[in-house]
Amino acid sequence: MADPLDQVTPLILSFNEEANIGRTLAGLTWARRIVVIDSGSTDRTLDILAAAPQVEVVHRVFDTHARQWNAGLEQIDDGWVLSLDADYGITPLLRQEMAAALQGAPAEVGGFRIPFRYCVAGRPLRGSVLPPRIALFRRAAGDYIDDGHTQDLVLQGRCETLREPILHDDRKSLSRWFWAQERYLRLEVQKLRTTPRHQLSRADRLRQRHWIAPFAVLLLCLIWHRGLLDGWRGWYYAFQRMLVELMLSLMLWGAEKQ
């Protein structure tokens, strides 16, 4: 019997991910082909990718996340796509669940939503504010559109949900994290200031209130998601998410006053 995962092509975006990409590839040894869209890495990312025989690298200057992802989809003709950031990890349990889901997937199912577990220093937390997203989908059933600093998948067909999570395990330096957040938050400010309020999610409408969101996310991480039980890792993650919301509030205030 053919392995259902033979139908799946992992698609990864990369930019200076030498701290992460090796672990991501280690969870994809089952894949016959992996497509990576690289936006100009200058560290060892390309060397690590070159050592994996099933990886095909496409070099593309970054403009938006949706265009970058769609450029990757153009490299995949059929079957299923597993879209991954370069700091995501696929566990053996998730691999087994994906294979079982694809084995019996009816034609009307266009994709699968997969939850996340955030890791700090390599250890998964009990919970995080990352929502599940459609990460496994039929090539013919999905295309990306931009949504603030990130992207959203427009899926044709029914979407089902898997139980096993993708691990989000980013081990890049804190300075690189600050660089990325400042860049992302500029796009979030533009989204929050230009999108009609009724089209925003509840979380984004809360962010427009400036002072509420930073303290709400701190309590959400520590209490609702049980970060207090994760020791220093839980506090680290909670402070990290609070800092992002504080930065966003400052940038929103600055943009409005100007």
Side-chain angles (χ1 to χ4, degrees):
M1 181 182 297
D3 187 343
L5 294 181
D6 288 347
Q7 312 170 60
V8 178
T9 302
L11 172 60
I12 303 172
L13 301 190
S14 67
F15 173 67
N16 287 346
E17 290 286 350
E18 67 176 5
N20 298 313
I21 192 65
R23 291 191 313 281
T24 300
L25 294 178
L28 300 174
T29 54
W30 48 266
R32 292 187 171 185
R33 178 177 182 241
I34 301 171
V35 175
V36 177
I37 308 298
D38 186 80
S39 53
S41 292
T42 56
D43 62 1
R44 294 185 57 254
T45 296
L46 296 178
D47 294 333
I48 297 171
L49 292 171
Q54 74 270 51
V55 170
E56 298 177 15
V57 178
V58 176
H59 301 276
R60 184 179 187 277
V61 176
F62 183 88
D63 44 14
T64 74
H65 278 94
R67 292 176 183 173
Q68 204 79 345
W69 285 112
N70 287 332
L73 292 180
E74 292 175 0
Q75 309 300 316
I76 303 172
D77 295 327
D78 52 20
W80 293 78
V81 178
L82 177 63
S83 63
L84 301 171
D85 286 353
D87 53 10
Y88 288 176
I90 303 300
T91 66
L93 288 176
L94 177 55
R95 183 180 70 238
Q96 294 172 14
E97 186 179 11
M98 289 192 300
L102 294 180
Q103 185 71 48
E108 62 267 21
V109 173
F112 295 89
R113 186 174 286 107
I114 304 179
F116 286 88
R117 289 192 70 185
Y118 196 89
C119 300
V120 174
R123 182 180 297 180
L125 302 179
R126 286 171 171 79
S128 75
V129 297
L130 290 172
R133 73 171 178 86
I134 305 171
L136 179 63
F137 57 94
R138 295 185 193 272
R139 169 61 188 93
D143 287 288
Y144 286 98
I145 59 173
D146 284 307
D147 180 24
H149 83 276
T150 183
Q151 72 287 324
D152 192 19
L153 181 74
V154 178
L155 183 73
Q156 300 174 19
R158 193 171 82 234
C159 184
E160 298 188 349
T161 301
L162 303 184
R163 292 176 302 173
E164 290 296 326
I166 292 173
L167 299 183
H168 183 188
D169 188 6
D170 185 4
R171 302 190 196 180
K172 294 190 295 293
S173 68
L174 191 59
S175 61
R176 170 68 187 276
W177 181 83
F178 276 112
W179 172 85
Q181 294 307 313
E182 194 273 341
R183 175 182 166 198
Y184 295 158
L185 290 177
R186 290 188 184 279
L187 296 174
E188 287 298 305
V189 168
Q190 181 180 5
K191 171 188 172 182
L192 293 175
R193 297 194 68 214
T194 59
T195 304
R197 186 172 174 81
H198 69 276
Q199 295 180 13
L200 293 173
S201 67
R202 182 179 299 177
D204 282 336
R205 292 197 297 271
L206 185 65
R207 284 173 145 186
Q208 289 181 322
R209 301 293 297 274
H210 297 301
W211 61 273
I212 298 178
F215 301 101
V217 78
L218 180 68
L219 294 176
L220 185 68
C221 291
L222 291 176
I223 306 301
W224 183 259
H225 291 300
R226 300 176 296 164
L228 287 171
L229 301 179
D230 287 311
W232 72 266
R233 291 175 175 85
W235 285 96
Y236 184 95
Y237 178 71
F239 283 165
Q240 187 184 61
R241 301 321 307 167
M242 183 181 186
L243 181 57
V244 168
E245 297 301 329
L246 283 169
M247 291 167 64
L248 179 62
S249 293
L250 288 172
M251 293 172 72
L252 272 173
W253 260 322
E256 291 171 1
K257 298 305 180 184
Q258 291 173 5

